[in-house]
Amino acid sequence: MKSRQQSALAAIAMSSGILISAGAYQSKAPISGAQVYKSKCAPCHGAKGEGTKIYVKTLEGNRSLGELTRYVATSMPPGPKHCPAPEAATVAKYLFDEFYSPVAQERRRPARVALSRMTVRQLRNSLADLIGSFRGDFSVSDKRGLHAEYFKLARFNDRAVDRVDPQVKFDYANKTAIPEQTDPYQFAMRWSGSVIAPDTGEYEFVVRTDQATQLFVNNQRKPLIDAIIKSGNDNEYRASIYLLAGRAYPIQLQFTKGVTGVDNLQKLKQKPAQNSFITLAWRRPKEVEEVIPQRCLTPESVRETYVAGTNFPPDDRSIGYERGTSVDKAWDEAATTCALEAAVFVSEHLREFTGAAENSPDFATKTKKFCSQFVERAFRRPLSAETNEVYVDKLFRADDVIHSVKRIIVLALISPRFLYREIESAKHDSYETACRISFAIQDSLPDRELLRAANSGELATKEQIVKQAERLYKDPRTIAKLREFFWLWLKVDSHPDLAKDTKKFPEMDDTVRADLRTSMQLFLEDLVTSDKPDYQQLFLSDKVYLNSRLSKIYGGGVASDSEFVPVTLDG
């Protein structure tokens, strides 16, 4: 049997141009290619073929394994005695697989990290959550509408009624807002709570009234619309603001009817009371104007959200998905401007963030601590002593706290550690896992609970990761991102003009088109927020959301002037 094996091996070797004697196969423990290379080749070529002073070139090329084997057997080592044929075959196979072949060369090269910056959406969300993390956690309940206060006098005193209004759309004519409780010649209302933005983009708010009014949105000190001094015949006021999807923003609308001075009021009452009305509407991104619906209002007030106002160049897109792959001068300038804008905002709210007044003895100490926390949250991981020294200690001066804060904030927000997610990804630690979860689900940096889990080693198993993902799943920001995915998948925005024959379908106008979009949006939200989401229902469900306008076209028996309600249509 042994002689047959030897003959067969010898025949194979001869066919490759290598002469092997039968005695070469008598060894009980054949020497491996790695052993041959280490003892006979490495002194000249290096442990990994990287070269030495004796032979400086690296061992790599494009010979085939058979060609390399023949070359080793006939030419290596240089001199009269070359490598025996059996050793030549094993060592050639070893070095071909380890570092000679093109495949081996690619395998040995260090992994390349393809850097991509945050998208504009991720950057805006990250700044909103970064600054918001110092304002405490908040959420809104399922209550909808606005908290409404009705006052007997125009000076917002002597409150007559306190209730929740589903939306603001009232025509009082020449009567009172609350019969038998207010005077038709003078009264005031104040609606407060929060408005929920379904989409990211520019929102145009519209107030229609023939009386004095003020509207505050995401800023309780500066009105978005200020018509508190009524003059002329203007009855419509418009103003725009940029909002991020899936977030609630504080809102307050004031309405006053009346005059100043007792004498003026007495003269006014000699005439019939004037008509009065008020409507609060908006135009969402890519939508038509509508009265702000009840589902987008909550009577609970939240703190304002920081929304960066810098205009960025558009992101790259791959089959519709945003990608942060290009870094040019325009984007760099926008990122720097955005950092400066955020630094000013933070410096103006230091008392809120630090809990210390500027003239208090511990102001500098508390502010420096805040700066370290800000940089740490921006970088999504604990700061090493060296990093804290570079980004905080070297820039902080106790005698010039405000300017120190601005410098620290700007340096942190233009740092690659903030703008580029892959800077720390080579570590593949729990903090990187937290980042992957949060950016994938919410397009933002990890919240405090995710960072706590990372710090406690609670992101090591599949079950722990799933637990955190499920926690974030029903967050309004996650739902907004899921809806945008479906918008892209279903190509809703690719077909903005839904054309119909106006003779056959006279009801089909811009308002109905917007209603159809809202109907789909509500159906998708209902699907993804279900306790047991089943995406087969995208194709199988017979439930749709209809309002009174759509009900006239599709049936369903929805009451007139009704908002959207789920209806099961008869197939």
Side-chain angles (χ1 to χ4, degrees):
M1 177 67 70
K2 183 179 295 184
S3 61
R4 290 181 181 178
Q5 292 176 341
Q6 292 172 351
S7 300
L9 290 170
I12 294 172
M14 290 179 66
S15 66
S16 300
I18 305 173
L19 182 60
I20 306 176
S21 65
Y25 296 95
Q26 302 299 323
S27 174
K28 295 181 181 181
I31 300 176
S32 68
Q35 292 173 319
V36 174
Y37 182 84
K38 182 178 180 181
S39 62
K40 297 186 177 180
C41 308
C44 293
H45 294 287
K48 295 294 182 180
E50 70 276 12
T52 64
K53 293 181 179 179
I54 300 174
Y55 189 82
V56 296
K57 293 183 178 180
T58 58
L59 276 183
E60 57 184 44
N62 53 12
R63 286 188 174 97
S64 67
L65 176 59
E67 292 171 337
L68 184 63
T69 302
R70 287 192 291 271
Y71 178 77
V72 172
T74 57
S75 305
M76 290 287 112
K81 294 184 179 181
H82 303 309
C83 185
E87 291 185 359
T90 57
V91 75
K93 179 71 166 59
Y94 168 77
L95 65 90
F96 183 86
D97 292 339
E98 286 295 316
F99 40 77
Y100 179 85
S101 69
V103 173
Q105 295 168 31
E106 288 298 324
R107 188 169 56 243
R108 290 184 62 218
R109 289 191 176 93
R112 293 177 293 177
V113 178
L115 293 179
S116 62
R117 57 169 173 79
M118 289 185 191
T119 64
V120 176
R121 183 187 304 270
Q122 290 172 342
L123 181 55
R124 291 186 189 276
N125 279 325
S126 295
L127 283 174
D129 291 329
L130 174 58
I131 293 176
S133 68
F134 293 95
R135 290 178 151 165
D137 297 325
F138 65 85
S139 60
V140 295
S141 68
D142 294 333
K143 296 179 181 178
R144 290 296 178 261
L146 286 178
H147 177 213
E149 300 172 280
Y150 290 73
F151 301 88
K152 295 180 179 180
L153 302 177
R155 294 186 296 274
F156 295 98
N157 52 17
D158 197 4
R159 186 169 60 186
V161 174
D162 190 315
R163 70 185 191 189
V164 173
D165 286 336
Q167 54 185 192
V168 181
K169 184 182 180 183
F170 299 102
D171 186 351
Y172 304 114
N174 61 350
K175 298 179 174 59
T176 66
I178 304 296
E180 299 180 359
Q181 294 192 40
T182 57
D183 186 339
Y185 292 92
Q186 61 168 353
F187 54 88
M189 284 88 74
R190 179 167 58 214
W191 292 274
S192 59
S194 303
V195 59
I196 303 170
D199 315 290
T200 292
E202 199 81 18
Y203 284 74
E204 184 181 37
F205 283 81
V206 184
V207 177
R208 291 189 177 88
T209 182
D210 54 355
Q211 305 298 324
T213 187
Q214 275 187 320
L215 175 67
F216 299 80
V217 180
N218 201 33
N219 191 328
Q220 297 173 326
R221 298 169 302 281
K222 183 179 179 181
L224 181 66
I225 293 176
D226 190 358
I228 197 64
I229 300 176
K230 184 73 170 67
S231 63
N233 297 320
D234 292 338
N235 292 332
E236 182 177 288
Y237 308 93
R238 296 174 176 268
S240 297
I241 186 173
Y242 197 95
L243 300 178
L244 303 175
R247 299 172 186 269
Y249 302 85
I251 188 171
Q252 185 181 105
L253 175 64
Q254 297 179 358
F255 169 101
T256 58
K257 179 181 180 180
V259 295
T260 58
V262 177
D263 294 338
N264 291 334
L265 182 59
Q266 293 301 322
K267 293 179 181 179
L268 182 65
K269 289 187 175 183
Q270 295 174 6
K271 304 176 183 178
Q274 292 180 341
N275 292 340
S276 59
F277 62 89
I278 185 166
T279 299
L280 176 61
W282 67 2
R283 184 190 294 273
R284 289 164 47 187
K286 302 178 182 178
E287 297 284 358
V288 298
E289 184 181 311
E290 64 176 344
V291 176
I292 301 180
Q294 182 179 5
R295 67 179 180 276
C296 295
L297 299 170
T298 173
E300 300 165 334
S301 292
V302 299
R303 293 193 176 185
E304 66 180 276
T305 297
Y306 175 76
V307 180
T310 304
N311 291 321
F312 280 85
D315 288 319
D316 303 322
R317 285 183 176 269
S318 175
I319 58 173
Y321 296 97
E322 296 171 344
R323 302 174 61 203
T325 52
S326 65
V327 179
D328 54 20
K329 183 178 180 181
W331 183 86
D332 182 66
E333 290 177 350
T336 303
T337 302
C338 185
L340 291 168
E341 176 191 327
V344 172
F345 181 88
V346 170
S347 66
E348 292 175 348
H349 293 76
L350 273 181
R351 182 165 186 169
E352 176 188 354
F353 297 145
T354 64
E358 193 170 342
N359 57 357
S360 62
D362 58 350
F363 178 64
T365 302
K366 287 187 175 181
T367 302
K368 186 175 182 181
K369 180 181 178 181
F370 159 77
C371 289
S372 292
Q373 292 175 336
F374 185 95
V375 176
E376 180 174 283
R377 294 179 190 179
F379 292 175
R380 286 92 73 182
R381 60 180 57 247
L383 300 182
S384 64
E386 295 79 7
T387 304
N388 192 76
E389 172 73 18
V390 171
Y391 285 90
V392 180
D393 292 342
K394 286 186 176 181
L395 300 177
F396 193 87
R397 291 174 50 190
D399 60 338
D400 194 2
V401 174
I402 302 299
H403 285 88
S404 298
V405 170
K406 291 180 179 179
R407 288 192 291 267
I408 291 169
I409 299 301
V410 170
L411 182 61
L413 297 184
I414 63 173
S415 168
R417 295 172 183 265
F418 173 70
L419 294 174
Y420 292 84
R421 288 180 48 210
E422 293 85 354
I423 293 298
E424 301 288 345
S425 63
K427 297 182 178 180
H428 295 297
D429 57 12
S430 58
Y431 295 100
E432 171 61 16
T433 301
C435 287
R436 294 190 179 197
I437 294 172
S438 63
F439 278 98
I441 295 177
Q442 293 187 335
D443 273 335
S444 186
L445 44 75
D447 62 9
R448 284 186 287 185
E449 171 59 21
L450 256 181
L451 291 176
R452 185 207 61 77
N455 188 56
S456 304
E458 297 176 14
L459 294 177
T461 66
K462 177 182 177 181
E463 292 73 20
Q464 291 171 331
I465 293 173
V466 169
K467 180 181 177 181
Q468 290 295 332
E470 289 179 341
R471 178 181 67 84
L472 297 174
Y473 179 73
K474 290 190 176 181
D475 187 285
R477 292 169 292 176
T478 306
I479 296 171
K481 182 174 181 179
L482 281 171
R483 184 176 63 251
E484 289 173 0
F485 162 75
F486 282 113
W487 256 213
L488 178 62
W489 178 54
L490 298 171
K491 299 181 179 179
V492 173
D493 290 333
S494 300
H495 305 283
D497 298 325
L498 184 59
K500 291 286 185 180
D501 188 329
T502 56
K503 293 182 179 179
K504 293 183 178 180
F505 304 97
E507 309 94 342
M508 184 60 68
D509 56 15
D510 289 342
T511 302
V512 171
R513 293 186 185 94
D515 286 343
L516 289 171
R517 183 185 177 103
T518 301
S519 175
M520 182 184 292
Q521 170 190 322
L522 295 174
F523 172 74
L524 292 174
E525 287 183 5
D526 186 43
L527 176 69
V528 300
T529 57
S530 170
D531 291 334
K532 295 182 178 180
D534 182 1
Y535 291 99
Q536 295 180 88
Q537 293 303 310
L538 285 168
F539 306 98
L540 301 177
S541 177
D542 56 3
K543 182 175 69 175
V544 296
Y545 279 81
L546 301 178
N547 62 1
S548 56
R549 282 189 296 269
L550 292 181
S551 181
K552 292 177 181 178
I553 302 174
Y554 296 98
V558 177
S560 61
D561 296 329
S562 173
E563 277 211 54
F564 285 88
V565 293
V567 174
T568 300
L569 294 180
D570 185 351

